[in-house]
Amino acid sequence: MSVLKEVVNEDELRLIQYLLSETKLHVRLRKTASPTFPTTIDTPHGDSLSPVLFTVYLEAALRQLRKEAAPRPHADLHLPFELIYADDADFVSTSRRWLSQLEAMASSTLVQWSLNMNHDKTEYTEITRLNDRNKEEWRSTRKLGSLIGDDEDVLRRKQLATAAFRGMWNL
């Protein structure tokens, strides 16, 4: 609620508090459900408000990280600090060293917000130009369902469309 105070007006804050008050949950494992119990932490998953509140909360944690991060390299002047989609954040820099420092700091900052950084899912993509485009591994890196390399992404989409079209021959 303290994070929301900076984002919404008093009426909206009161409405959100009301929607989350007296929340009761139960745990379901296969076909067995636990007795209902009250909760005062988090928002119910599956609730339409939950992803919005999570996004606001994650943004607040990332704002703290941006404030505490070491100064960015001059070459990063026109780059965004991060790219975010839902609960995925990609940190962007021209400096591997700066990114390593940020990664170490991100873990400790996110823990302060009761958020965890999944190191098993952490990916590293280095974009460098080579004389041979076929050796540029970053071109085949997928972000949000698209490949970073334009030509590679268009080719992949054409292949998917062709496969879908061929699947309709029987129709």
Side-chain angles (χ1 to χ4, degrees), residues 80-164:
F81 186 86
E82 80 273 320
L83 306 171
I84 303 172
Y85 181 77
D87 63 344
D88 289 333
D90 292 348
F91 300 110
V92 180
S93 178
T94 58
S95 167
R96 169 83 69 182
R97 183 170 171 248
W98 185 84
L99 286 170
S100 295
Q101 291 173 344
L102 184 68
E103 181 182 359
M105 177 184 263
S107 290
S108 61
T109 300
L110 294 175
V111 164
Q112 294 171 25
W113 291 81
S114 300
L115 297 170
N116 294 317
M117 188 169 148
N118 189 336
H119 291 280
D120 293 336
K121 290 185 177 180
T122 300
E123 299 173 355
Y124 303 92
T125 305
E126 185 172 346
I127 299 177
T128 54
R129 300 283 183 181
L130 302 174
N131 291 334
D132 184 357
R133 287 176 53 104
N134 295 325
K135 292 183 180 178
E136 295 176 338
E137 293 178 20
W138 61 268
R139 292 183 175 279
S140 298
T141 300
R142 188 180 309 206
K143 293 290 177 190
L144 302 177
S146 297
L147 301 181
I148 294 177
D150 293 342
D151 293 342
E152 292 74 11
D153 190 50
V154 169
L155 177 63
R156 182 178 154 273
R157 289 176 185 270
K158 285 169 56 176
Q159 290 168 341
L160 291 172
T162 300

Side-chain angles (χ1 to χ4, degrees), residues 27-40:
V27 177
R28 188 177 342 167
L29 182 61
R30 294 185 187 94
K31 294 182 179 182
T32 305
S34 73
T36 302
F37 58 92
T39 180
T40 58

